[in-house]
Amino acid sequence: MAVRRAIQGIDGPDPLSQLLGDAQYIADDGLATAAYLSLALGKPLLLEGAPGVGKTEAAKAIASVLGRELVRLQCYEGIDAAASMYEWNFPRQMLAIRQAGDDYVNLYDDRFLIARPILQALEAPRDRVLLIDEIDRADHEFEAFLLEFLSDFTLSIPERGTVRAEEPPVVILTSNRTRELHEALRRRCIYHWIGYPSPELEQRIVMMRASTVAEDTARRVVAAVNALRAEPLAKPPGVAETVEWAEAATLLNRGGGSWPRAFARAIGVVLKDQDDLDYIAPRIDALLSESAA
Ligand SMILES: Nc1ncnc2c1ncn2[C@@H]1O[C@H](COP(=O)(O)OP(=O)(O)O)[C@@H](O)[C@H]1O
Ligand SMILES: [Mg+2]
């Protein structure tokens, strides 16, 4: 089987994992394998998981490893073709008509075409990685449209004809799973669920991402965050919150003090929901002393 261009020189999940590490992203074996297969087989990678587990960051790291520009399509309710594919620059078209007087103006010239992420990826599939972020926020119609795009990587522009990618672009989709995605969409992709990292892995992430945090602090903060995640919270902390909590507690604890106290004081960087804060407040001391044990 021919090796896809994107993966040339990367011999398997382990080397890919190494390269991702160089790009400041720690991938476990499951993610490295899914990403490798997606690149090698030329199929889109679908990453699903709770907010803050590192989905968007994984896409950035993969683009960086491939030496390609990341083109990000952030999905939202009501996102449509104009925002995702292309748009005609109406004000510029009007201006051109006015300036031309009686002369002919080609209103569908390149200079009036605004390429949005999907068209950008199609135009230069070898230089770009397309990230379709938080697809679960878009509605079903948009998902159906995406499915079509992902099956043939063409885009029809009525005034211009069909744009076809020279080769299938590298595409990464993410979902926070606020709703189920269509079976058909999932079938088209290599699927990987990203869970919260293991304590060992999250500790490495903290050491890598936080500016000045001692190893012991990283261990404590990871234990405390895991204790919080075991509570019935509306917004459980993601990895970014772990990193920030470690940094904040380190700041507050400068000159010595007690770690449980520093963590408790910095709770606002890790819980950002009033109900969650109210729920945790009376439990925080017990929770921190248990996780310190
Ligand atoms: N495996 C990882 N390696 C390095 N940093 C990570 C990892 N997972 C998460 N992070 C950190 O957590 C932050 C949040 O991750 P993000 O990709 O925005 O989450 P998601 O897109 O899943 O909501 C990132 O900016 C990064 O600092
Ligand atoms: Mg994200």
Side-chain angles (χ1 to χ4, degrees):
M1 198 175 60
V3 175
R4 302 273 168 164
R5 188 188 311 273
I7 204 81
Q8 268 170 15
I10 304 174
D11 285 340
D14 289 347
L16 178 58
S17 179
Q18 282 273 326
L19 292 168
L20 289 168
D22 297 342
Q24 303 279 296
Y25 190 88
I26 304 180
D28 64 11
D29 186 56
L31 175 58
T33 304
Y36 174 76
L37 288 177
S38 145
L39 295 172
L41 299 173
K43 292 183 93 178
L45 176 64
L46 171 57
L47 300 176
E48 218 171 27
V53 292
K55 301 179 297 295
T56 304
E57 201 68 20
K60 289 183 190 167
I62 289 169
S64 152
V65 163
L66 298 177
R68 297 180 182 201
E69 178 197 359
L70 186 76
V71 181
R72 177 175 182 194
L73 177 63
Q74 170 63 55
C75 297
Y76 51 86
E77 206 182 321
I79 189 172
D80 61 3
S84 62
M85 300 191 285
Y86 69 91
E87 242 178 315
W88 292 109
N89 190 334
F90 185 66
R92 279 196 72 182
Q93 286 174 323
M94 289 303 107
L95 191 66
I97 291 175
R98 221 172 301 138
Q99 285 172 346
D102 291 336
D103 294 339
Y104 167 79
V105 183
N106 175 10
L107 289 177
Y108 301 112
D109 188 79
D110 269 352
R111 64 196 164 116
F112 302 122
L113 185 63
I114 305 172
R116 299 298 183 201
I118 288 185
L119 180 57
Q120 289 175 21
L122 281 187
E123 284 177 337
R126 291 169 191 174
D127 303 328
R128 295 180 178 149
V129 169
L130 176 62
L131 167 62
I132 302 174
D133 217 6
E134 303 187 345
I135 173 151
D136 52 323
R137 289 182 181 224
D139 30 50
H140 292 279
E141 291 74 42
F142 187 73
E143 207 182 314
F145 154 73
L146 267 187
L147 182 65
E148 219 178 287
F149 165 72
L150 293 175
S151 41
D152 59 6
F153 295 112
T154 64
L155 194 62
S156 154
I157 305 181
E159 302 84 358
R160 296 277 292 259
T162 299
V163 185
R164 190 176 304 275
E166 286 174 322
E167 62 184 67
V170 173
V171 182
I172 301 169
L173 302 100
T174 79
S175 166
N176 287 333
R177 213 193 209 174
T178 54
R179 64 171 177 83
E180 286 288 324
L181 301 179
H182 284 301
E183 191 56 38
L185 183 78
R186 272 191 286 191
R187 229 179 296 130
R188 185 143 310 282
C189 304
I190 303 279
Y191 177 84
H192 181 71
W193 171 264
I194 304 190
Y196 290 113
S198 68
E200 182 262 337
L201 207 120
E202 193 161 11
Q203 219 172 298
R204 280 172 58 203
I205 297 172
V206 170
M207 295 305 292
M208 175 186 264
R209 295 269 166 167
S211 37
T212 49
V213 168
E215 204 163 327
D216 191 48
T217 312
R219 192 180 50 75
R220 285 170 197 271
V221 81
V222 166
V225 153
N226 277 289
L228 282 179
R229 285 178 190 149
E231 298 291 332
L233 300 177
K235 299 226 163 22
V239 177
E241 281 71 34
T242 315
V243 174
E244 274 176 37
W245 206 13
E247 282 180 328
T250 301
L251 275 175
L252 293 178
N253 210 32
R254 258 194 320 216
S258 108
W259 282 110
R261 173 126 177 83
F263 283 136
R265 285 176 77 195
I267 194 74
V269 306
V270 71
L271 293 182
K272 296 165 186 176
D273 178 281
Q274 185 58 44
D275 290 340
D276 286 350
L277 282 166
D278 288 347
Y279 175 81
I280 287 299
R283 296 171 171 77
I284 187 75
D285 290 338
L287 203 135
L288 287 171
S289 59
E290 267 168 46
S291 60

